[in-house]
Structure formats: C-alpha cells, structure tokens
Amino acid sequence: MRIGLLGTGPWARRVHAPVLAAHPGVELTGIWGRRAPAAAELAQAHGTRAYATPDELFAACDAVSFAVPPSVQASLAIRAVQAGRHLLLDKPVATTVSEARAVAGAAERAGVASVVFFTARFGEREGAWIADQAAAGGWFTAHADWLGSVFAEDSDSPYAASPWRREKGALWDVGPHALSVLLPVLGDAESVTAARGPADTVLLALRHRDGAASSATLSLTAPRAASGVEVTLRGTTGTAALPRREAGPEPAFHRAVDALIAAARTGRPHPCDLGFGVRVTEILAQAEQALGGADDQ
C-alpha cells in the first residue's frame, strides 16, 4: 500500500515515519507538513520526498497517515477521502462532534477504509487483554488512571510545546486512551459526568449500557513520580489489571498499519474505525459540556 504521511512533529518523527518506512507492506510515498523545511528533512531521513501541498501527496498514494493536531486532521481527512484515500487517523478524530461526524460521513460516502490509532488497542499484550476481558464479561465496575506529566514543572516531554494539548488538556489527549479500553470491555456509555481536579486533571464517570459503572482520572500535569497508567476491572471473577506495555508505541502502530491494509483489502471494518472514533469524540464532548466547556452536539 502506498501511504503518504501528513505531519512532521515529534509523533511523526518518532513513530509514523520510521514505522511506515520500515513496514514490508508499505511504500512511504511522501511527506507533507505545515513547515516545508521540516518535511524536507524528515523525507530525506526516510528515503522519500516532500510534497508542497496535501493534495499533491494525496494524488500519489493509496492511503494517508495523520500525525497532525485534531482540528487540522479533520479538515485534511475530508480532503483525503474526497481523493479516494484510505485513512489512518490519530486520536482524537476531532475535538468537536460536528467535525468528527463530517469525516465519518465523507468516508462512508467514498467507501474508503479507516483505522484510528488508539495505542492500547493495538498493543500486543493490551489488545489481547481487552479482547479477553470483553469475552469474559461479568464486570461490575472499572477504574482507569491515565496520568501523564507532559505539563508538570519537571517535565522534559517533547509534547509540552503542543498548542492543542495546552488548549484541550488531558480530557482530549489521554481521555481517548482510557475510553478505548473501557468501552470495548464494558459497552457503550449511556451517561457521562465529569469534574475538574488540579490543573488540567479531569475525573470522568460513566454508566455503561449493561449497567456497569466506570471512572477515570485523566491528567497531563501529574508529578513525574506519580505518572503512569493503570486500569482495574472488578466483577464476578474477581479483579483484572491491564498489563503494562512492554515496548514503545512503534509496534502498536505497525499493527495499526496492518489493520488498515486488511480493512482496505477485505472491505470489513476494523473495530477501531471512524465509527468508534466518532463515538469517543461524542463522549468526550459530553464530558466537556459537563465541565462547563464547549457545546457541540
């Protein structure tokens, strides 16, 4: 599959570009970025070319991989779909429900495949655990701690300069990760509430369609010593804890690429397609509304 990359930031440099360039089933056909010199440098490092415009890149590929802020992603994804290209999107699909639904509608009309990259869902150990717990059932409640230190005083994170993370905070950055674990195990959320904690910290509470309840503590400002990810389920068989990731995000992204290739080849939607991505956006928007934020339903 010929895949073009949109984006030149830390996530594109660390994950997208090297994985796409090394994937045996992919030809990295080119890179576009809002900063032309950065696109040229990244393209040279991975043996491909930089494109002057997104549309020129779309014309040269079969699918597009997105490593850009969500508001930029949504508008560019619609243009890619209109060119008939499959989509490998990052989370969240968008930060408004209307934008997310517009992308999904355009993709459905064009008949293209889509995969949204939720790191935990494509992790080898985490993905298998999620599937096993969903099959086991009988869960009464669950809690997720998704605590990052991106904006902590002692942070050295390359993502600390991200304007959209500064604006939208943990709810929109790590909230999708928590939901990508909780929803497939406990079912869709029927009600959503949220409360604010320190800085950008958000306390999220969900009631799921089968009656289970879950909660999540989300933050990008946790002290480094307190940061980390834990998800615990409690039910009829006792407790179960999400296994820790053994490697960085690169192997998970490789599997997301595999999933897009399979969806495009077979025509069968992947569970982490735009439909799921839109639902995550809808839940986050409900939480934001409960916090007194934007209202875009």
Side-chain angles (χ1 to χ4, degrees):
M1 178 178 280
R2 300 176 303 156
I3 300 182
L5 171 60
L6 298 180
T8 60
W11 194 237
R13 295 195 302 269
R14 176 187 176 188
V15 179
H16 285 245
V19 171
L20 292 170
H23 195 293
V26 169
E27 176 190 349
L28 177 56
T29 53
I31 297 171
W32 173 85
R34 291 176 291 174
R35 296 176 294 117
E41 180 181 356
L42 189 58
Q44 183 178 21
H46 294 284
T48 188
R49 59 166 291 187
Y51 283 82
T53 69
D55 297 301
E56 290 175 353
L57 177 59
F58 300 156
C61 62
D62 307 307
V64 183
S65 182
F66 292 79
V68 293
S71 60
V72 178
Q73 173 173 260
S75 58
L76 288 174
I78 291 175
R79 288 164 61 181
V81 162
Q82 290 170 343
R85 305 308 173 223
H86 305 295
L87 303 176
L88 180 51
L89 299 157
D90 212 340
K91 59 77 201 164
V93 172
T95 53
T96 69
V97 172
S98 59
E99 286 182 324
R101 289 175 178 171
V103 176
E108 183 176 4
R109 290 189 295 272
V112 301
S114 64
V115 166
V116 182
F117 180 42
F118 295 92
T119 313
R121 289 290 292 275
F122 289 98
E124 185 173 14
R125 296 179 68 199
E126 305 102 301
W129 182 87
I130 291 167
D132 288 345
Q133 308 321 312
W139 300 111
F140 173 74
T141 189
H143 179 72
D145 287 311
W146 225 284
L147 307 176
S149 58
V150 172
F151 299 136
E153 290 184 2
D154 55 354
S155 173
D156 60 357
S157 171
Y159 307 106
S162 167
W164 84 265
R165 287 181 176 87
R166 287 279 181 186
E167 177 189 357
K168 304 301 288 187
L171 177 65
W172 287 93
D173 188 27
V174 297
H177 290 309
L179 292 174
S180 77
V181 176
L182 296 171
L183 295 180
V185 175
L186 302 178
D188 195 13
E190 291 185 338
S191 66
V192 181
T193 59
R196 294 194 184 277
D200 77 326
T201 303
V202 170
L203 310 177
L204 189 65
L206 309 173
R207 180 175 174 85
H208 298 266
R209 65 186 176 203
D210 294 329
S214 69
S215 59
T217 305
L218 314 170
S219 185
L220 294 178
T221 51
R224 291 174 69 179
S227 64
V229 172
E230 294 182 1
V231 180
T232 302
L233 306 173
R234 298 181 183 276
T236 55
T237 58
T239 64
L242 179 73
R244 295 186 182 277
R245 192 169 64 194
E246 291 182 318
E250 296 87 351
F253 186 67
H254 184 108
R255 283 186 282 275
V257 175
D258 291 341
L260 181 67
I261 293 172
R265 183 180 67 248
T266 65
R268 292 194 294 270
H270 188 272
C272 285
D273 65 358
L274 266 167
F276 183 74
V278 169
R279 185 64 190 128
V280 167
T281 300
E282 290 170 344
I283 292 171
L284 295 174
Q286 286 180 267
E288 188 172 64
Q289 186 178 9
L291 295 170
D295 183 5
D296 178 26
Q297 298 297 317

